[in-house]
Amino acid sequence: ATTLNNIASVYDDQGRYEEALASYEEALSIEKESLGDRHPSVATTLNNIASVYDDQGRYKEALAYYEEDLSISKESLGDRHPSVAITLNNIATVYKAQGRYKKALANYEEALSIKKESLGDRHPDVAITLSNIALVYASQGRYEEALANYKEDLSISKESLGDRHPDVATTLNNIASVYDSQGRYKEALAYYEEDLSISKESLGDRHPSVAITLNNIATVYKAQGRYKKALANYEEALSIKKESLGDRHPDVAITLNNIATVYKAQGRYEEALANCKEELSISKESLGDRHPSVAI
């Protein structure tokens, strides 16, 4: 069952969601048979299955599995165990994806309370939940509250992990994203460039995280009408994603879409359509014909 879980995790990373689900379900069957229906390992696999459904946009199914995971975790480990906080965090993430921000915040805040109680106020896991709360605030347009949470996250991450850790880069990226949303492009680029420097140094020039930051930098350039710079960064991001994830991964589709938006802005409509249609092909293949990303 452990190995099936690991195999499923790789399929999930590749966007091969149905294969991931098949392996996770087989692992779940073995665990229930050998350990009982209410064992913490069963809860972990339920969480993993829910995560795949979340990736597929099948939020109702994701919530059902997360809620069962939560029930088992509370029963076997207690209401205030760090594992309970992880599941509350994941439930909140689904609510956020559904635009149910009030429920998302309630679950994130409960997760934060448990983490502070069990791990201390300055633990890296506390920083992660602060980041998640900030993301909800940003989605609501509550940018100053988002920045306050992200900057507290940044303080904890630097203190506990060091100034050049990949998690610090992630938080810099998040702060930059808020500045981007506010139209504060100069500040956004400064934070994205620092994120890029750390990511390249700690993960290597061809890591998927580097591609994400290049994509974000390109988006700022696009917003500024600096299309040549935008395309250069999008194309580099696309090259890295294809190399690390494969030509047919959902993240490749996202970057193809971004490139298409630049072509459209330039009036290069045939090139824009070509990229959009390639994106559509990949999205249908990897996510299914009825996924929200296909509709977009």
Side-chain angles (χ1 to χ4, degrees):
T2 300
T3 304
L4 285 164
N5 260 298
N6 293 337
I7 290 169
S9 177
V10 177
Y11 283 140
D12 189 19
D13 288 342
Q14 292 179 310
R16 298 163 66 181
Y17 298 127
E18 293 307 319
E19 290 163 288
L21 285 172
S23 287
Y24 279 139
E25 291 286 359
E26 179 65 13
L28 184 65
S29 171
I30 294 168
E31 286 167 346
K32 285 185 173 182
E33 183 182 304
S34 57
L35 301 171
D37 289 355
R38 308 296 289 174
H39 191 276
S41 292
V42 169
T44 299
T45 303
L46 288 166
N47 184 88
N48 293 339
I49 292 169
S51 176
V52 178
Y53 284 135
D54 186 13
D55 289 339
Q56 291 181 305
R58 296 164 67 179
Y59 300 128
K60 186 175 179 181
E61 291 155 291
L63 282 173
Y65 275 82
Y66 279 139
E67 292 289 354
E68 181 64 10
D69 162 22
L70 184 65
S71 170
I72 295 170
S73 295
K74 284 185 172 183
E75 180 184 302
S76 57
L77 302 171
D79 289 355
R80 308 295 291 174
H81 191 276
S83 292
V84 170
I86 291 170
T87 304
L88 287 166
N89 188 91
N90 293 341
I91 290 169
T93 300
V94 177
Y95 283 136
K96 179 174 67 65
Q98 292 179 309
R100 299 163 72 182
Y101 298 129
K102 188 173 180 181
K103 280 183 174 285
L105 281 173
N107 279 271
Y108 279 140
E109 293 286 358
E110 181 64 11
L112 183 65
S113 169
I114 294 169
K115 286 183 178 183
K116 284 185 172 182
E117 181 183 301
S118 56
L119 303 171
D121 289 356
R122 307 295 290 176
H123 191 278
D125 283 358
V126 169
I128 290 169
T129 303
L130 285 167
S131 177
N132 290 335
I133 291 169
L135 188 55
V136 177
Y137 284 139
S139 298
Q140 292 178 305
R142 298 163 67 180
Y143 296 127
E144 293 308 317
E145 289 164 288
L147 284 172
N149 276 269
Y150 278 140
K151 288 184 177 179
E152 180 64 10
D153 161 20
L154 184 64
S155 170
I156 295 169
S157 295
K158 284 186 172 182
E159 179 185 302
S160 56
L161 303 171
D163 288 356
R164 307 296 289 177
H165 190 275
D167 286 357
V168 169
T170 299
T171 304
L172 289 166
N173 183 88
N174 292 338
I175 292 170
S177 176
V178 176
Y179 284 136
D180 185 12
S181 296
Q182 291 180 304
R184 298 163 67 179
Y185 298 130
K186 186 176 180 181
E187 290 157 293
L189 282 173
Y191 274 84
Y192 279 140
E193 292 290 353
E194 180 64 10
D195 161 23
L196 185 64
S197 170
I198 295 170
S199 294
K200 285 185 172 181
E201 178 185 303
S202 57
L203 302 171
D205 289 355
R206 306 297 290 175
H207 192 274
S209 292
V210 170
I212 291 169
T213 304
L214 287 166
N215 188 90
N216 293 341
I217 290 170
T219 300
V220 177
Y221 283 136
K222 179 168 70 70
Q224 292 178 310
R226 299 163 72 182
Y227 298 130
K228 188 174 179 180
K229 280 183 173 285
L231 279 174
N233 279 272
Y234 279 141
E235 293 287 358
E236 181 66 10
L238 183 65
S239 169
I240 294 170
K241 286 183 178 182
K242 285 185 172 182
E243 181 183 301
S244 57
L245 302 171
D247 289 355
R248 308 297 290 175
H249 192 277
D251 284 358
V252 169
I254 291 169
T255 303
L256 286 166
N257 178 79
N258 291 337
I259 292 169
T261 64
V262 178
Y263 284 141
K264 183 183 175 187
Q266 291 178 307
R268 297 163 67 180
Y269 298 124
E270 293 306 318
E271 291 163 289
L273 280 172
N275 276 270
C276 285
K277 288 179 179 180
E278 180 65 9
E279 177 208 352
L280 183 64
S281 170
I282 295 169
S283 294
K284 284 185 172 182
E285 180 184 303
S286 57
L287 302 171
D289 290 354
R290 308 299 291 175
H291 190 275
S293 293
V294 171
I296 291 166

